[in-house]
Amino acid sequence: MASSIPVADTRMAQGPALQAVLLDMDGTLVDTEGIWWAAESEVFADLGHVLDEAHREVVIGGPMARSVGHLIAATGADATLAELMLAVNIRFEKLIARGAPLMPGARRLLTELAAYGVPTALVSASHRRTIDVMLRTLGAENFAFTVAGDEVSRTKPHPEPYLTAAARLGADPAACVVVEDTLTGVASAEAAGCRVVAVPSLVPVEAAPGRTVVGSLEELSVPFLRALNARVH
């Protein structure tokens, strides 16, 4: 009787099943990065400072305190961080009151996540007031809850926002997919142990282990996200 020959198991090892999708807001779901820059530029112009475009890449996607702090240091503006953060937020809210467009594919993706019953949360470095304004456009019903930058002790790029969201959903971070547009957000999600889909808006994001880069939300679907998370980290 011929001896049997072992056959190598070529099946891909499976990661955890998708438990939740965690979504960034600014620049990911809503085309607001340019509006934030406009708000910052107008506030600093009121103080007599013209912001150089070179600062735009530094502040994009960052927490408000870091962004405004950088601009104060760069311009020497005679105002406190708290005063300018409030002024920028107020100016931004006035600008988005005129309407802020959703990113291509955002509405369809949110509708599909809801149709499949995938637990979904919005995790943003923006403050609660700003998020609540944007939810009028995004639809609060599309999210189990939202996490604001002023509701955590350490915001992005620290992992706390995404760890908080996963914990509130009762999900394992390794079984969550995060959709982000900036390196700051990607760093936060990866530090939390989540798999990341990067959809770069203004600043390039390179592919890396555990990170997939796509050109638009239009490339994403629930089957795509499930298959992505099934791969080994």
Side-chain angles (χ1 to χ4, degrees), residues 24 28 123 156 162 178-182 184-186 189 196-200:
D24 174 53
T28 299
V123 183
K156 303 174 186 178
Y162 284 112
V178 169
V179 183
E180 274 278 1
D181 72 306
T182 67
T184 298
V186 166
V196 176
V197 176
V199 191

Side-chain angles (χ1 to χ4, degrees), residues 4 19 25 76 113 131-132 138 163 176 185-186 192 194 208 212-213 219:
S4 60
Q19 293 180 7
M25 184 178 74
L113 287 166
I131 290 176
D132 287 345
L138 287 168
L163 290 174
C176 298
V186 166
C194 304
T212 300
V213 180
E219 297 179 41

